[in-house]
Amino acid sequence: MKQMGTALRDAVADGAMVDGAMVDGAMVDDARVDDARAGGAADVLVGGAQAAGELGLSRSEFARAVQLGIVRAGPRPLAGAARYARAELDRVRSVTGPPGALRERVETVAGAEAAAEVVGVGPSRFTRLARCGHVTPVGYRINRYRAVVWLYLTAELRSFAARDPGMLRGIAPPADRELMAAKADLRPRKWRGRHVGLLLRRTADPWERAAVLASVLSEDELLEVVPDPAERIVLAALGPPPPYGHPQAPAAAAVATGLLKAGPPDEIHWYRTSLDFALAGARGQSKSTGERGPT
């Protein structure tokens, strides 16, 4: 049990693995968070729309690049939208090549039919592959029928098809058949693991990292894990905003909000335990500085 706890603490500390799902290192730059905040105060900062235009991306493509850690935001503003250092845009251009190459990294397809076409299978087979956790969504939409439409990175789908061609034909393996018989759907859980992992990579501050983990738990779960109301206020203030594309219409937003919260008991336990470890580190920092909250 001690070894399991140490491994879990280390996984949360480096932000590389969340709920057993590794964040794809090929899609996330390995530069340290400190470097993202190290730009001098004199560096020119631009808004998201201008940054997207300078990189030759649409607003949605730029949002995906930020989500994946390809583009890093400047120092966190006290209020308002994130801004981006011109030096950071220069860095992205230097490491990603022409705009077309960057666009390929963030290109997505929506829904099983479009994703199946990329992989070269029928929609029903792709749905089974996705529900059984072989591919991980990168985002979602809620359509006019209030159904979830999952988004997938095109580059990852092509990589999966090349890496596991045997999964694209023949009968489903026994593990998949068991999952389908149980009507399992791992897409929400796999997406949450990826989403949380990418958020953890953006910050080294222990209170901000705890806030990311807290955001996945329901209010009742959070009350049990964090009984101190002052700490819950700090975590709520530092919590991440909904992901890009989260709907504004109340009915659709209610469906999407359900995707943000851990569901199965073992997933909830994982995040509760992870939050315990994160809070222990955050409280230790507060004790050394004499202040509650991030330094």
Side-chain angles (χ1 to χ4, degrees):
M1 179 64 71
K2 182 177 180 181
Q3 290 178 339
M4 182 179 74
T6 301
L8 178 58
R9 182 174 63 253
D10 293 343
V12 173
D14 64 22
M17 182 172 289
V18 174
D19 188 29
M22 182 68 69
V23 177
D24 190 348
M27 302 304 296
V28 182
D29 290 340
D30 291 329
R32 297 177 60 85
V33 171
D34 289 344
D35 293 340
R37 298 185 174 183
D43 197 3
V44 177
L45 298 175
V46 300
Q50 183 173 341
E54 293 189 14
L55 292 176
L57 301 176
S58 68
R59 289 297 300 273
S60 61
E61 289 170 339
F62 181 75
R64 192 71 63 204
V66 172
Q67 174 199 2
L68 295 172
I70 299 170
V71 179
R72 301 169 302 194
R76 183 171 180 167
L78 296 177
R83 298 179 69 79
Y84 303 86
R86 193 169 298 282
E88 169 67 3
L89 304 183
D90 292 339
R91 182 195 67 80
V92 171
R93 277 190 289 263
S94 69
V95 300
T96 59
L102 177 56
R103 191 174 298 113
E104 287 180 1
R105 292 181 66 181
V106 299
E107 179 186 8
T108 60
V109 292
E113 187 171 344
E117 186 174 347
V118 174
V119 175
V121 298
S124 60
R125 178 178 286 266
F126 180 83
T127 298
R128 189 259 294 172
L129 292 170
R131 288 175 64 98
C132 293
H134 296 291
V135 292
T136 301
V138 73
Y140 58 80
R141 293 179 189 159
I142 308 300
N143 67 16
R144 61 180 177 173
Y145 304 108
R146 302 178 192 171
V148 180
V149 178
W150 292 106
L151 309 180
Y152 301 90
L153 287 169
T154 304
E156 286 188 352
L157 294 178
R158 291 175 179 146
S159 177
F160 167 73
R163 184 178 64 250
D164 294 312
M167 297 297 297
L168 308 182
R169 57 183 181 273
I171 63 174
D176 284 12
R177 294 200 296 271
E178 290 181 12
L179 287 170
M180 295 307 294
K183 301 186 184 303
D185 186 354
L186 300 183
R187 291 173 294 184
R189 181 172 183 162
K190 295 277 284 185
W191 173 80
R192 279 190 295 271
R194 172 177 225 161
H195 178 61
V196 170
L198 289 169
L199 289 173
L200 289 174
R201 279 182 175 267
R202 294 188 191 181
T203 179
D205 184 276
W207 282 100
E208 291 182 354
R209 294 173 67 81
V212 169
L213 295 164
S215 70
V216 187
L217 295 173
S218 69
E219 185 176 344
D220 290 342
E221 297 288 344
L222 197 57
L223 282 170
E224 293 183 11
V225 181
V226 192
D228 184 345
E231 288 186 343
R232 292 199 302 274
I233 290 173
V234 172
L235 295 176
L238 296 175
Y244 181 83
H246 191 81
Q248 300 298 316
V255 175
T257 299
L259 301 174
L260 303 178
K261 302 299 181 183
D266 62 322
E267 183 190 12
I268 292 172
H269 175 74
W270 200 99
Y271 283 112
R272 285 181 58 134
T273 306
S274 300
L275 179 57
D276 274 337
F277 282 129
L279 283 173
R283 289 163 181 153
Q285 181 200 62
S286 296
K287 187 177 294 185
S288 67
T289 61
E291 296 180 1
R292 175 185 281 114
T295 58

